Amino acid sequence: MANTFHRVGNGPHPVLVLPGWFGDAHAFEPIEAWLDGGAFSYVFMDYRGYGGMRDAPGDYTIDEIATDALALADELGFASFSLIGHSMGGMAIERIAALAPKRVRALVAVAPVPCGGIRMDAARRALFEGAAVQVEQRRTIIDRSTGGRLPASWVAWKAAYSAARSMPAAFAAYFHAWADTDFSDAIDGRHPLKALVGRHDPVFNAALMADTYARRYPLASVEVLENAGHYPMNETPLALAAAIESFLLSVSPAPASARTR
């Protein structure tokens, strides 16, 4: 199935960018103007049920996202590439790397859901499940995940945007996909990985990264973005762009076997 996406740059280092549960292919828009298009080719993709793929049928699983991303890479002729994933997209990029490890150069996980999912008590689970049909519950989740410190108007905008750009059935299914999926046994840890988390994110923070990514990836590093919560692309776009590109520029060139696959 053809994916809807847009591209920023035409540089020699391809990068697939996967949004979070509340986002679509335009979720990273605040940083796009500041990316180095001479060094990188950034491709921002949609999921089935989201954005330009809002009406596309699907199972709405992490595996489906991963296989769709690999199909897009094939369509674009990317033999090897790096990956950026935010929140739910952080879990998805790990799955892509597990399915096609030789094609992946590096991973940038932004406030990511780790590959083992997230345990929740009954009350929190009910809040997240209800967000599929209740915009008020989306606002509550967004406000809490950014430390309750951002303007109410922005929180309302973010919730309304996510509701307008996703199908309720897809949004509901993706919650169970990222919360309950566990493929941690499939991680071999070979890839360079940078985890970027916001100082004000109460859940997807440095402590969680230390218990997950730092244990599974010997080449992992964690950076805390000051004055950010769960959405650094909105809260601190310049700091996020700088952190992403300083890491990706440090990644060694793709091996010849990948370039000539």
Side-chain angles (χ1 to χ4, degrees):
M1 175 177 292
N3 191 280
T4 56
F5 66 93
H6 65 280
R7 183 170 181 158
V8 174
N10 290 286
H13 186 157
V15 185
L16 294 181
V17 186
L18 281 68
W21 189 40
F22 281 85
D24 65 354
H26 294 279
F28 282 81
E29 198 167 71
I31 77 168
E32 290 181 12
W34 320 119
L35 297 174
D36 185 349
F40 303 100
S41 293
Y42 292 97
V43 172
F44 300 82
M45 63 171 278
D46 278 316
Y47 303 139
R48 299 187 195 206
Y50 278 44
M53 298 274 285
R54 191 175 186 275
D55 296 323
D59 297 325
Y60 312 125
T61 63
I62 299 301
D63 272 2
E64 184 176 77
I65 291 173
T67 54
D68 283 351
L70 288 168
L72 178 59
D74 289 342
E75 176 187 338
L76 295 172
F78 295 164
S80 67
F81 47 85
S82 291
L83 293 160
I84 300 171
H86 172 244
S87 195
M88 176 176 77
M91 173 181 273
I93 65 172
E94 285 196 90
R95 191 60 180 151
I96 295 166
L99 292 174
K102 293 181 180 180
R103 298 182 66 179
V104 174
R105 296 172 64 173
L107 307 173
V108 180
V110 182
V113 179
C115 61
I118 295 291
R119 295 181 181 177
M120 298 187 187
D121 60 27
R124 188 171 174 221
R125 180 173 285 271
L127 172 66
F128 278 71
E129 289 175 337
V133 294
Q134 297 290 335
V135 176
E136 296 84 357
Q137 291 179 232
R138 296 191 192 213
R139 289 199 295 265
T140 298
I141 293 166
I142 294 165
D143 189 45
R144 290 180 181 178
S145 68
T146 52
R149 40 181 268 288
L150 300 181
S153 57
W154 180 85
V155 172
W157 169 81
K158 186 72 172 177
Y161 180 90
S162 72
R165 300 291 289 171
S166 63
M167 287 289 288
F171 190 85
Y174 284 132
F175 165 65
H176 292 286
W178 65 257
D180 302 330
T181 296
D182 184 349
F183 55 90
S184 52
D185 289 346
I187 303 300
D188 67 15
R190 75 177 69 180
H191 300 100
L193 182 145
K194 183 79 167 187
L196 298 167
V197 296
R199 176 72 67 189
H200 301 282
D201 191 330
V203 176
F204 302 97
N205 52 29
L208 180 63
M209 301 303 106
D211 286 340
T212 55
Y213 293 93
R215 293 178 182 272
R216 295 175 180 135
Y217 293 86
L219 300 177
S221 60
V222 178
E223 182 175 342
V224 177
L225 299 174
E226 302 295 339
N227 207 33
H230 193 62
Y231 299 94
M233 68 286 296
N234 297 108
E235 300 169 82
T236 54
L238 293 177
L240 178 62
I244 287 171
E245 293 200 333
S246 65
F247 171 67
L248 290 179
L249 287 168
S250 73
V251 177
S252 60
S257 59
R259 293 197 300 268
T260 60
R261 183 186 66 89

